[in-house]
Amino acid sequence: MGSDTIEKRGSSTTVSLDKQRYRVLIGTGLLKQIGTHARKRFARKTCAMISDNNVAPLFARRLEKSLVAAGFRPTLITIPADEKSKTLEQVGRICDGMIAAGLDRQSFVIGLGGGVIGDISGFVAAIYHRGIPHIQIPTTLLAMVDSSIGGKTGVNTRDGKNLIGAIHHPALVIDDVDVLKTLPRHEFNQGFAEIIKHAIIADAKMFRALQRWEAGEVPALQRLIKRNIEIKAKIVAKDERDRTGERALLNFGHTVGHAIERAGDYRKFLHGEALSLGIVAACGISIKKAGLSPDQRDSIVNVLRRFQLPTRLPRNFRRKRILEAVKFDKKFEAGKVRFIVTPQIGTAHVSREVTMKDVREAIDGL
Ligand SMILES: NC(=O)c1ccc[n+]([C@@H]2O[C@H](COP(=O)([O-])OP(=O)(O)OC[C@H]3O[C@@H](n4cnc5c(N)ncnc54)[C@H](O)[C@@H]3O)[C@@H](O)[C@H]2O)c1
Ligand SMILES: [Zn+2]
């Protein structure tokens, strides 16, 4: 993968992978320009706008107007806003809607929403007529800095999250930061859990910027989003299909984080909140197994708190359930986990030295 580079052009970033490149536009007022951008890429007039019932009333009209003005014929398909909508059943419903609207092999799909919409619309784009282009318009901070980059699409099944899916990179990603104004505060903050994770595994300078972060500065937020896209894209480019272990670095904090989400029946904690706790646990393990200094762990905890992210479990939360969920995790092999540790803020690596006992102690410490 010699040509894996990321170019920067003004307020856009190009994600370059082995066989594919796509642009990520970051700025304000971009929703109104979507028609113009789509016209440069697609000749076919028909497209589907896939969104959820929170996001569609806020932004679908603006998007539709821009597409119609550029000569497109968009069909809006909405699903209920919830992780529970990420199912094969909804995929079938969306595909039926697209067939009814006359979309064909040359049509394209636009996902307008958070990570749920990004994942399901991307999966629909991956399988509809064996694959049609996908434009991502992420509307949560988490989707902008994480789920819209990397090409992982898919749905949940009864037994677990993201068990069915496909790699299908978007043709274009549009990050209009204006849309974040309507995002509830706790949803906004959970995006910062992934941003803090990126800082810990890859960028000590960004970590220092987060220690001084003041809310409300739009240009700074745009730069931050762009930097996070670059970090994720660079890691994905090195290991697009999760084979060399490089991409696994993005799982820092996620072994325990996912287990906490599961133990809370996916209701008690948002993903970013569970991740925040998972990061604290991973720091505890990193002190023991990778030489992270307790001072740096404290700095990480303070940054998480700065974004109102939890760093302690509620006292009565059943920690045993978390451990059971970790065991359930498929990454667990013969008593050892493939666990991501950080020896120092800004770097991370895979450790095979982490035992179940280490994980249990880290969870007990939360
Ligand atoms: N593909 C990947 O690589 C990847 C990576 C990380 C997470 N994910 C997936 O992303 C999903 C989580 O994404 P999420 O956190 O964005 O959740 P989400 O899509 O459920 O959105 C969160 C909530 O905010 C609402 N919302 C979205 N944008 C809004 C806006 N601008 N204003 C007001 N409300 C808005 C939504 O309707 C929803 O209720 C999970 O399904 C996870 O598996 C995928
Ligand atoms: Zn995550």
Side-chain angles (χ1 to χ4, degrees):
M1 284 189 205
S3 63
D4 299 332
T5 55
I6 296 145
E7 292 166 19
K8 291 164 243 171
R9 282 190 218 123
S11 63
S12 82
T13 287
T14 302
V15 178
S16 294
L17 301 165
D18 199 18
K19 296 193 185 79
Q20 215 167 346
R21 296 158 70 83
Y22 52 93
R23 283 182 79 193
V24 184
L25 308 179
I26 308 152
T28 57
L30 296 178
L31 274 191
K32 283 189 292 197
Q33 298 168 21
I34 175 93
T36 319
H37 289 293
R39 201 164 43 196
K40 283 188 215 150
R41 286 168 176 79
F42 307 116
R44 191 53 148 220
K45 300 292 176 219
T46 49
C47 60
M49 303 188 299
I50 300 173
S51 192
D52 71 32
N53 63 339
N54 286 336
V55 177
L58 294 168
F59 310 117
R61 188 79 197 94
R62 219 180 299 169
L63 182 63
E64 187 180 19
K65 242 171 111 179
S66 166
L67 288 164
V68 170
F72 291 103
R73 284 201 315 277
T75 299
L76 175 65
I77 300 174
T78 45
I79 62 172
D82 198 76
E83 181 71 30
K84 286 199 192 78
S85 289
K86 240 176 75 173
T87 61
L88 277 178
E89 202 184 346
Q90 289 292 349
V91 167
R93 239 200 79 228
I94 294 169
C95 289
D96 287 344
M98 287 166 60
I99 292 164
L103 269 75
D104 61 19
R105 231 152 35 91
Q106 268 102 36
S107 306
F108 61 97
V109 169
I110 303 174
L112 172 71
V116 166
I117 290 298
D119 280 9
I120 196 168
S121 63
F123 186 60
V124 165
I127 61 171
Y128 193 76
H129 281 270
R130 298 185 188 83
I132 62 174
H134 183 217
I135 298 181
Q136 290 246 33
I137 307 183
T139 63
T140 64
L141 184 59
L142 181 136
M144 287 182 187
V145 300
D146 190 353
S147 58
S148 61
I149 307 299
K152 283 191 180 173
T153 73
V155 293
N156 307 326
T157 70
R158 200 192 48 207
D159 296 311
K161 277 186 69 174
N162 303 320
L163 291 182
I164 294 177
I167 299 275
H168 189 65
H169 292 285
L172 176 70
V173 183
I174 297 187
D175 290 350
D176 184 339
V177 294
D178 288 340
V179 304
L180 298 175
K181 288 180 195 149
T182 54
L183 193 63
R185 174 59 48 186
H186 59 282
E187 290 287 353
F188 187 73
N189 284 338
Q190 70 149 341
F192 273 96
E194 302 288 358
I195 290 174
I196 293 165
K197 176 199 76 181
H198 283 155
I200 296 168
I201 64 171
D203 192 342
K205 191 168 157 222
M206 183 166 85
F207 187 84
R208 288 192 290 275
L210 291 169
Q211 288 178 302
R212 299 185 303 267
W213 186 259
E214 299 291 343
E217 231 218 287
V218 174
L221 182 63
Q222 283 185 40
R223 281 196 300 277
L224 188 72
I225 291 169
K226 186 168 162 181
R227 179 68 194 128
N228 276 274
I229 292 166
E230 288 168 356
I231 291 171
K232 178 154 184 192
K234 198 170 157 197
I235 292 174
V236 171
K238 284 192 198 152
D239 181 20
E240 213 182 321
R241 292 197 168 256
D242 250 331
R243 296 215 169 112
T244 67
E246 187 79 19
R247 194 168 179 158
L249 298 183
L250 293 165
N251 284 339
F252 180 76
H254 279 72
T255 303
V256 174
H258 280 151
I260 290 175
E261 260 186 300
R262 195 179 172 87
D265 293 324
Y266 298 98
R267 278 194 307 267
K268 202 153 171 57
F269 299 100
L270 292 175
H271 175 72
E273 293 169 347
L275 172 59
S276 175
L277 290 157
I279 288 174
V280 177
C283 285
I285 291 171
S286 297
I287 289 176
K288 255 208 221 156
K289 292 283 155 99
L292 179 74
S293 77
D295 277 0
Q296 289 219 332
R297 186 261 325 267
D298 294 347
S299 307
I300 290 169
V301 168
N302 287 337
V303 167
L304 292 166
R305 287 197 183 132
R306 200 178 171 89
F307 296 96
Q308 280 109 50
L309 290 162
T311 55
R312 312 225 47 174
L313 277 169
R315 203 140 38 95
N316 56 359
F317 195 87
R318 286 179 43 217
R319 286 160 173 77
K320 240 180 115 187
R321 287 196 68 188
I322 303 173
L323 203 66
E324 280 158 17
V326 172
K327 282 183 192 158
F328 181 84
D329 199 311
K330 62 185 181 308
K331 275 168 290 194
F332 220 89
E333 295 149 3
K336 291 202 173 174
V337 205
R338 196 175 69 156
F339 204 93
I340 313 301
V341 290
T342 175
Q344 193 176 7
I345 292 170
T347 58
H349 60 82
V350 181
S351 168
R352 294 188 188 275
E353 303 307 310
V354 177
T355 63
M356 194 55 161
K357 187 166 163 272
D358 298 324
V359 178
R360 192 179 54 232
E361 283 172 11
I363 292 169
D364 287 343
L366 284 174

